[in-house]
Amino acid sequence: MNVVYISIGIVVLLWIFGNLHRRRKNRNKVICVVESNCSGCQCCVKRCTRHVLEMVTDETKIHVAVKYPYKCTACGDCLGKCKFNALKLVERI
Ligand code: SF4
Ligand code: SF4
């Protein structure tokens, strides 16, 4: 039984340290949209719990835009949802 608790503890610790490392690494970054690649599928908008992204319409197409960049924690959750390579993390200016 102790082995199970120790294994669970190790997994939890690895998860915590992984998240801390990712946050430190991306501290000065923010999400950016490559508009020409965006299909407007909205998967990233639904995934972002901080409501950073929003759909916009311009003359040519509907695409996602970074509406509230100051809210972005650069967690990268939205990156994993984009199948069109339309999102990237860039340095904050
Ligand atoms: S990186 Fe995280 S906080 Fe920033 S837009 Fe994507 S899901 Fe939202
Ligand atoms: S997931 Fe990618 S293609 Fe879909 S709306 Fe977001 S940026 Fe555009």
Side-chain angles (χ1 to χ4, degrees), residues 33 37-45 53 55 63-64 78 81-87:
V33 179
N37 288 357
C38 180
S39 71
C41 68
Q42 300 193 39
C43 291
C44 57
V45 178
L53 304 166
M55 298 309 294
H63 62 84
V64 80
C78 57
K81 288 289 172 185
C82 184
K83 308 271 188 289
F84 300 90
N85 202 22
L87 296 171

Side-chain angles (χ1 to χ4, degrees), residues 31 47-50 52-53 71-78 89:
I31 201 71
R47 185 64 183 89
C48 180
T49 54
R50 299 185 63 85
V52 172
L53 304 166
K71 287 185 179 179
C72 180
T73 59
C75 65
D77 289 349
C78 57
L89 288 171

